[in-house]
Amino acid sequence: DAGVIQSPRHEVTEMGQEVTLRCKPISGHNSLFWYRQTMMRGLELLIYFNNNVPIDDSGMPEDRFSAKMPNASFSTLKIQPSEPRDSAVYFCASSPLDAETQYFGPGTRLLVL
Amino acid sequence: KQEVTQIPAALSVPEGENLVLNCSFTDSAIYNLQWFRQDPGKGLTSLLLIQSSQREQTSGRLNASLDKSSGRSTLYIAASQPGDSATYLCAVRGGGSNYKLTFGKGTLLTVNP
């Protein structure tokens, strides 16, 4: 199994630009999670999907952030417009339904100048 | 709101030493607790998972304990090796159907040859 795949691995952009992060979960996994990791706040859950439906987006910081899961094998996290404080590592994780743990992708390191 | 604290934030030890990493959480109504390992530029890998009804779990040189009533967990690493150098994160999952993982900020471990 290829594991959770994220792209791009690194992204450098300028303030005000739109950023789209992509995730392919492990085949057969029903749940998908987007996290953000910063030195100050650690690892925080942004949004959780179950069977492609957003269940909890209470961690999404503001309206500039949006996430979609059009099918079971693909999800996007979009930031528009991006700001320097959005600089962080964004992780996608997936798990089978009711699984005990989550399987993390390698992350996308985002730098907004 | 669940809060997870890890002490120390960083630890440097010589190869061969036994060591203990600490994790504390504020809400004892947890479903399980996990220890993850994070290597630079990589995602998280689950090391050990302890159910709320268990006291400890072991895998090779790793042993994790859980004292739910006091809100504490420890990760014991025996005979440390340079390959153990990484950031170790503790995460708790809420009780009931709460899927959410709350992470500590991690302990950066360096094992010197």
Side-chain angles (χ1 to χ4, degrees), chain B residues 22-39:
Chain B
N22 297 291
C23 171
S24 62
F25 47 96
T26 54
D27 185 351
S28 62
I30 65 170
Y31 184 76
N32 63 37
L33 181 145
Q34 294 182 74
W35 284 92
F36 288 86
R37 170 181 172 142
Q38 184 176 20
D39 292 286

Side-chain angles (χ1 to χ4, degrees), chain A residues 9 37 40 56 99-101, chain B residues 32 34 38 41 93 99 105:
Chain A
R9 294 293 312 276
Q37 186 177 39
M40 287 293 293
D56 182 355
E100 299 290 350
T101 191
Chain B
N32 63 37
Q34 294 182 74
Q38 184 176 20
R93 178 176 167 182
Y99 52 86
K105 291 186 179 179

Side-chain angles (χ1 to χ4, degrees), chain B residues 84-102:
Chain B
D84 295 330
S85 298
T87 297
Y88 292 81
L89 294 110
C90 167
V92 297
R93 178 176 167 182
S97 61
N98 188 345
Y99 52 86
K100 184 176 289 189
L101 292 181
T102 303

Side-chain angles (χ1 to χ4, degrees), chain B residues 4-105:
Chain B
V4 179
T5 303
Q6 291 187 244
I7 296 174
L11 181 64
S12 181
V13 300
E15 181 177 4
E17 191 162 299
N18 302 326
L19 59 100
V20 174
L21 308 181
N22 297 291
C23 171
S24 62
F25 47 96
T26 54
D27 185 351
S28 62
I30 65 170
Y31 184 76
N32 63 37
L33 181 145
Q34 294 182 74
W35 284 92
F36 288 86
R37 170 181 172 142
Q38 184 176 20
D39 292 286
K42 303 228 176 130
L44 281 67
T45 302
S46 181
L47 296 173
L48 289 165
L49 185 148
I50 311 177
Q51 300 291 356
S52 61
S53 59
Q54 296 176 322
R55 296 284 293 182
E56 66 177 334
Q57 281 287 336
T58 297
S59 176
R61 295 183 293 108
L62 305 180
N63 175 277
S65 69
L66 173 64
D67 184 342
K68 199 173 76 161
S69 60
S70 68
R72 295 177 187 275
S73 175
T74 61
L75 179 66
Y76 175 83
I77 302 177
S80 58
Q81 303 171 358
D84 295 330
S85 298
T87 297
Y88 292 81
L89 294 110
C90 167
V92 297
R93 178 176 167 182
S97 61
N98 188 345
Y99 52 86
K100 184 176 289 189
L101 292 181
T102 303
F103 285 84
K105 291 186 179 179

Side-chain angles (χ1 to χ4, degrees), chain A residues 1-6 23-27 29 92 94 103-106:
Chain A
D1 197 325
V4 176
I5 299 172
Q6 292 187 246
C23 175
K24 177 178 170 57
I26 294 173
S27 178
H29 284 193
C92 175
S94 71
Y103 299 82
F104 282 74

Side-chain angles (χ1 to χ4, degrees), chain A residues 4-44:
Chain A
V4 176
I5 299 172
Q6 292 187 246
S7 64
R9 294 293 312 276
H10 302 272
E11 177 80 26
V12 180
T13 191
E14 293 187 346
M15 182 174 63
Q17 296 297 306
E18 177 179 295
V19 175
T20 300
L21 311 181
R22 297 173 176 79
C23 175
K24 177 178 170 57
I26 294 173
S27 178
H29 284 193
N30 305 85
S31 300
L32 185 139
F33 308 81
W34 281 101
Y35 290 89
R36 178 172 66 176
Q37 186 177 39
T38 61
M39 290 290 290
M40 287 293 293
R41 301 174 66 90
L43 202 64
E44 301 175 292

